[in-house]
Amino acid sequence: MARLSRTKKKELYHSIKGARDIFGDEYRLREWFIERAKHVATFYGFGPIATPHLERAELFGTTLGGTTDVVQKQMYAFRTRGGESVALRPEGTAPIMRAYIEHGMHTWPQPVLFWYAGNFFRHENPQRGRWREFYQFGLEVLGTEDPVADGLVIHVAVLMLREVGLQNVLVHLNSLGCKECRAVWRKELVAYFRKHGNALCKDCKRRLKENPLRILDCKEERCREASTNAPQSVSYLCAHCKQHFREVLEHLDDAGIAYVLDHLLVRGLDYYSRTTFEIFFEKPGESAESDNSETKTEVGTEESEKKKLLALGGGGRYDYLGEVIGSRNVPAVGMALGVDRIIPLLREHGKIPKSLQEPPKVFFVQLGTTAKRKSLHLMEELRKAKIPLAQSLSKDSLKSQLRIASRLGVFYAAILGQKEALDDTIIIRDMDSGAQETLPFVKSIEYLKSKLRGKGQPRPPEITDEEDE
Ligand code: HAM
């Protein structure tokens, strides 16, 4: 086999651009967040759903909008060996509507409430808070147009963030209206931007023909300026949509959720109608500019980028998606939180329980072949007794194992030497005083349990560069 150059090897064995490995502290925080989010969602009546990572590419092409960046530039779509055109799911709403129709869920009591969590894929320009493989926690309410469903989704999303300590949450909100009133607004918008055509960037000149609504969330300064006086969707709402939006706002007022009306909030996916929203976290004492163009690839100046907060989540109503997928009228609303953006905030602002990183309280030391062979069995007894343990089975010397135990800050070392292994005993060493006792193994578990009761958490482990022998 041909030898690979060093650079080639490096490229080959690196995770690909925009994807990453998650382990240690980040993994634990993520699991904890998902577990808390599930807890809140379940309490409010949402049931779980998991849809495949691969779907027919057409499902997204027809529902998210053929001219959207997600479909045009970001979808990982390919042909299988069997010739089928499939895509790695860029989002979860269209697959859930597909599942609703495929499984005849309209015959279930309505509305149907789902939560979901998993990986999604978009070939975006990786940058702050933006990955090509990312993790979402989402909620969908299918089968009702009642504004209370919009209120519920936003409320539960905010509660999930508050539950983990992210209190300062601000919701940006807009209503795009139904088919009828949106058509009138769209016409006015096109007429307005035609007049300001010269002021628009190259992409927006194209958008004016294909998808004029997306001009409103272009990041280019000149397009932002041109959008300032653009016709606002809320001014064109029909009586029905106006009443719907009013009731959504009333639900948010009742729930004590802070929101601002944002007439530029059109969102990056075409299936939205009526309510659209995005959720931002404001660091205490700061109010930041929002960056609501999730699917844009342009980058602003470094300074302006830093000032902007990325949306932690977004969503809205998609009353016409059921018609597109299955010729069925399924009014629905939902949202998804970007878990990759939430985790870094938790480190600074989260209410993380101490038990999340339950540090070991006992270090298991083994000396000699017989002890080593008995170790796995004895460690299992300690696990059953719920005693958090650390060990270093591959080390042989007492000194090096005790040094690790001391660095980890455990309260006790349980030492199994050659003699103890033959006698079914174990030495329990108090790491603070150095006092040692030899006990029959069966008694040592109760002994450790009673000693550990009321000890609290050990001190954090010492991190040193010192090499163990
Ligand atoms: P979205 O706004 O595209 O909506 O994504 C929701 C959230 O996922 C964003 O606010 C962001 O936090 C996170 N997110 C999106 N793209 C990335 C990325 N490349 N890297 C990291 N995080 C990202 C949807 O996906 C809709 N399906 C939400 C929805 C549910 N609408 C109705 N129901």
Side-chain angles (χ1 to χ4, degrees), residues 91-93 116 122 124 129-131 134 136 139-140 267 269 271-272 278 294 311-316 318 334-338 340-341:
E91 62 98 53
T93 308
Y116 57 97
R122 294 182 194 172
E124 298 204 61
R130 202 158 290 175
W131 299 89
F134 56 99
Q136 284 187 342
L139 302 172
E140 311 291 349
R267 311 261 304 130
L269 309 165
Y271 52 57
Y272 290 110
E278 270 171 5
E294 288 304 328
L312 296 192
Y318 45 98
M335 73 92 217
L337 291 176
D340 306 86
R341 297 180 183 183

